[in-house]
Amino acid sequence: MIKDSWTFKPFTDRPIALVDEQGSWVADFPMELPPDFLRGLYRDMLAARLLDEKFVILIRTGKTSFIAPHAGHEAAQVGIAQALQRGHDWLFPYYRDMGLMVAMGVPFKEIFGQMLGNAADPAKGRQMPSHPGSRALNIFTVCSAIASHIPPAAGAAISMKLQGTGQVSVCTFGDGATSEGDWYAGINFAAVQGAPAVFACLNNRYAISVDLSHQTAAHTIADKAHAFGIPGYHVDGMDVLASYFVMQEVIERARSGHGPVLVELEVYRYGPHSSADDDLRYRSKEEVEAAKRRDPIERFRRFLEKQGLWNLEWDEMLRADLKAQIDRALEEAEAMGEVPALAMFDDVFAEPTWNLIEQRALVQEELR
């Protein structure tokens, strides 16, 4: 059914928030989500946070070579995941979306296999760490080149429109991507073609070490949607319910033939840009600590408590269960061992070419 009226308005002066810092529902419509769904949002955010902490241990112990911390992004990532039709829609993520992978249902074991680059990785160790994908869940493999995945997301959405599949292409990126030519080309093409695409910017204000004020003179990233002739939504990405409700509506909007949308979700990353970054060179400890006082998980915990859906005993059981799942998944992934050297010749072509067959035989002979 095609709707002509929508709950949320584009180009708002302030970010759209539905739950305030004290955990109170402040929207002008009733919150009618089932308790299990609400608790599931909390569970997924907590799982993402614990996974981020485990990644720090992996890099410190030399078991992986690269991490892109995602703590602080959990509410936006979980809200996006819950708004998608998993395995039907297509997701084009970026390297900081590991919490999004968890919420989409990518198994912990696969995530750790990708981080280790070993035989538990469905991609057989071909990518650098923090660059997952999933054929089963229609998740496009992450690319390191900033914004290079945006034209493919636009192209996929145009294909969905031409074939009438009823799917939507959702593409996530950081604020740094919005300075790239691929970003403008991809969104512009999707807008001209009226493609079912949603472009979601997780704006954490720092593209590596470059503050947002040095990235753009625009008031917000969402304002840039004016140039493409599409709606631009400005959302509090530290509010999981605002992230979920807005993404749900704009995905429905794109699915029903209204064309693409740009969504800016304001978040804050607590960690450095990556394991190779010293964030104290461009921001203060005080700024980071102030951002942590707006923590998305703690904010939603207060909300659940006011709904009678949270208590300390349940929280402790949940944390213990998630930690056990994560520890077990890491052990299972490590036990899979290295990817066989000859696997480099797999999956290159549907039928191997004569020269690949020869090269494979030479490598096999060398390994004897």
Side-chain angles (χ1 to χ4, degrees):
M1 184 178 69
I2 297 177
K3 289 174 60 175
D4 291 322
S5 63
W6 305 95
T7 302
F8 302 102
K9 304 298 181 187
F11 306 116
T12 51
D13 292 334
R14 298 175 58 81
I16 298 168
L18 305 181
V19 175
D20 66 16
E21 298 289 339
Q22 289 69 47
S24 298
W25 179 254
V26 295
D28 58 2
F29 61 91
M31 193 286 299
E32 296 175 336
L33 295 173
D36 286 348
F37 181 84
L38 294 170
R39 283 186 154 190
L41 297 177
Y42 184 77
R43 178 263 178 206
D44 285 348
M45 284 198 292
L46 196 55
R49 179 65 57 86
L50 294 173
L51 190 67
D52 192 74
E53 294 172 1
K54 184 62 77 174
F55 286 168
V56 174
I57 295 173
L58 290 184
I59 193 79
R60 295 275 174 81
T61 54
K63 293 183 177 179
T64 191
S65 58
F66 177 84
I67 63 172
H70 59 262
H73 286 223
E74 295 93 343
Q77 293 179 343
V78 171
I80 292 169
Q82 292 299 333
L84 280 158
Q85 291 185 19
R86 298 174 205 179
H88 178 65
D89 295 326
W90 270 85
L91 175 64
F92 293 75
Y94 80 123
Y95 49 73
R96 205 176 304 284
D97 278 339
M98 301 303 278
L100 180 51
M101 298 301 108
V102 171
M104 286 290 290
V106 178
F108 287 130
K109 182 179 175 182
E110 281 189 18
I111 291 174
F112 283 122
Q114 203 283 316
M115 294 297 292
L116 300 171
N118 74 358
D121 176 15
K124 302 178 181 177
R126 288 186 166 94
Q127 271 279 22
M128 65 182 290
S130 295
H131 287 61
S134 171
R135 173 180 288 184
L137 292 167
N138 288 352
I139 300 175
F140 191 75
T141 301
V142 171
C143 301
S144 283
I146 302 302
S148 64
H149 62 309
I150 293 169
I158 293 168
S159 172
M160 293 166 190
K161 179 183 178 182
L162 292 174
Q163 297 185 62
T165 63
Q167 295 166 295
V168 174
S169 171
V170 173
C171 182
T172 63
F173 42 86
D175 40 301
T178 67
S179 298
E180 298 287 343
D182 277 349
W183 188 79
Y184 289 94
I187 299 180
N188 186 63
F189 195 29
V192 168
Q193 297 295 324
V198 174
F199 300 97
C201 175
L202 279 71
N203 175 11
N204 63 28
R205 294 198 61 84
Y206 291 101
I208 304 184
S209 57
V210 180
D211 182 83
L212 185 66
S213 64
H214 295 89
Q215 285 279 342
T216 179
H219 178 59
T220 66
I221 300 297
D223 279 350
K224 295 190 175 190
H226 282 296
F228 303 114
I230 63 175
Y233 292 83
H234 189 195
V235 181
D236 183 346
M238 308 285 268
D239 176 354
V240 66
L241 289 181
S243 302
Y244 166 68
F245 274 106
V246 173
M247 286 299 298
Q248 184 190 50
E249 180 162 295
V250 300
I251 288 173
E252 181 185 351
R253 187 185 186 286
R255 197 187 308 282
S256 59
H258 287 76
V261 169
L262 174 63
V263 181
E264 175 185 4
L265 299 123
E266 283 195 4
V267 295
Y268 194 91
R269 65 168 157 81
Y270 300 148
H273 173 265
S274 74
S275 44
D277 176 41
D278 177 7
D279 58 313
L280 291 179
R281 294 174 67 89
Y282 55 85
R283 65 180 183 180
S284 67
K285 283 185 178 179
E286 290 75 18
E287 179 186 311
V288 177
E289 291 306 312
K292 287 182 177 179
R293 289 195 287 274
R294 300 182 57 242
D295 188 77
I297 298 176
E298 179 62 18
R299 181 169 169 182
F300 194 55
R301 183 200 66 74
R302 295 190 193 104
F303 171 81
L304 289 181
E305 190 170 21
K306 290 186 177 183
Q307 303 294 316
L309 297 175
W310 182 94
N311 60 55
L312 186 57
E313 181 182 8
W314 175 70
D315 192 277
E316 290 176 346
M317 288 177 58
L318 180 62
R319 287 174 188 267
D321 180 55
L322 288 171
K323 285 179 180 176
Q325 287 185 48
I326 290 171
D327 289 344
R328 186 167 58 249
L330 177 57
E331 289 176 5
E332 291 174 355
E334 288 182 303
M336 294 290 288
E338 295 184 359
V339 178
L342 292 174
M344 76 173 83
F345 297 101
D346 297 342
D347 313 315
V348 180
F349 297 106
E351 297 293 334
T353 57
W354 64 268
N355 54 329
L356 279 181
I357 293 173
E358 283 188 3
Q359 291 169 20
R360 188 181 192 283
L362 287 170
V363 173
Q364 190 169 22
E365 181 64 25
E366 189 69 23
L367 292 173
R368 284 180 180 170

